[in-house]
């Protein structure tokens, strides 16, 4: 579904048709890899199955691709009335516009890593860029 065909409000029918994509992962903000310690944390996350790391608007997140145990077969929530606050707020941005998988999927992340090898390549490329930037200008 593209942005200009979005409904004004999410409904149960829309969420069921979507397949409850937002009930199938957890994303937690993490430190950007600015130190060896933070880089190694990310390498460790990415050594695991069903874990990815992405960057959105400059912020880094680790994402665990795992279904919520409360999601029912029909993609409704088994604890809808007392679902976590995160679930209540999800789906809209600060302006009240729909902002979830149906509006943005696939997301335009600045970076997305699905393996330790991908992340290592990124680190090597970033290191090469820094070396190039550091090279002094050639004098005549
Ligand atoms: S991603 Fe959006 S449309 Fe899909 S289930 Fe979640 S809130 Fe509903
Ligand atoms: S608690 Fe309910 S609404 Fe929240 S992620 Fe799980 S199934 Fe989805």
């Amino acid at each position: 579904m593209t942005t200009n065909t979005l409904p004004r409000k999410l409904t149960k029918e829309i969420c069921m048709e979507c397949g409850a994509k937002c009930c199938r992962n957890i994303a937690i903000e993490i430190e950007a890899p600015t130190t060896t310690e933070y880089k190694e944390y990310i390498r460790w996350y990415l050594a695991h199955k069903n874990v990815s790391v992405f960057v959105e608007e400059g912020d880094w997140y680790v994402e665990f691709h795992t279904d919520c145990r409360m999601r029912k077969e029909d993609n409704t929530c088994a604890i809808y009335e007392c679902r976590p606050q995160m679930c209540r707020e999800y789906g809209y941005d600060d302006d009240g516009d729909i902002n979830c998988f149906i509006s943005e999927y696939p997301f335009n992340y600045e970076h997305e890593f699905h393996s330790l090898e991908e992340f290592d390549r990124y680190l090597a490329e970033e290191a090469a860029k820094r070396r190039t930037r550091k090279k002094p200008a050639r004098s005549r």
Side-chain angles (χ1 to χ4, degrees):
M1 199 176 294
T2 58
T3 306
N4 56 8
T5 60
L6 279 178
R8 288 173 61 86
K9 289 277 170 209
L10 292 167
T11 62
K12 183 178 174 184
E13 290 70 30
I14 292 171
C15 291
M16 287 172 77
E17 190 186 331
C18 153
K21 289 191 177 73
C22 61
C23 303
R24 296 170 182 274
N25 60 66
I26 297 170
I28 297 169
E29 191 169 352
I30 56 174
E31 297 286 350
T34 51
T35 68
T36 301
E37 183 186 10
Y38 296 149
K39 284 175 195 167
E40 289 302 319
Y41 274 132
I42 293 176
R43 297 185 75 246
W44 176 51
Y45 302 146
L46 290 171
H48 289 74
K49 290 179 182 172
N50 304 322
V51 175
S52 62
V53 168
F54 66 87
V55 184
E56 187 177 38
E57 296 180 0
D59 296 323
W60 286 69
Y61 297 86
V62 61
E63 184 168 7
F64 303 91
H65 301 270
T66 178
D67 280 12
C68 176
R69 283 186 288 117
M70 301 304 164
R71 184 184 64 81
K72 296 198 291 187
E73 283 291 307
D74 66 356
N75 289 326
T76 58
C77 177
I79 55 165
Y80 187 78
E81 293 305 324
C82 58
R83 66 198 187 284
Q85 188 63 25
M86 181 72 84
C87 308
R88 294 173 189 277
E89 293 172 358
Y90 187 79
Y92 296 96
D93 64 18
D94 292 342
D95 298 324
D97 296 322
I98 291 177
N99 179 26
C100 67
F101 281 89
I102 61 163
S103 62
E104 295 186 352
Y105 194 76
F107 294 111
N108 290 320
Y109 296 141
E110 286 127 71
H111 299 288
E112 189 171 11
F113 308 101
H114 290 275
S115 70
L116 188 154
E117 292 82 359
E118 261 183 273
F119 184 60
D120 280 349
R121 277 197 295 278
Y122 164 82
L123 291 178
E125 285 164 14
E126 289 300 302
K129 281 187 211 165
R130 280 196 300 279
R131 280 196 299 275
T132 307
R133 281 198 293 269
K134 274 186 193 161
K135 272 189 188 162
R138 199 181 285 177
S139 56
R140 294 182 177 216

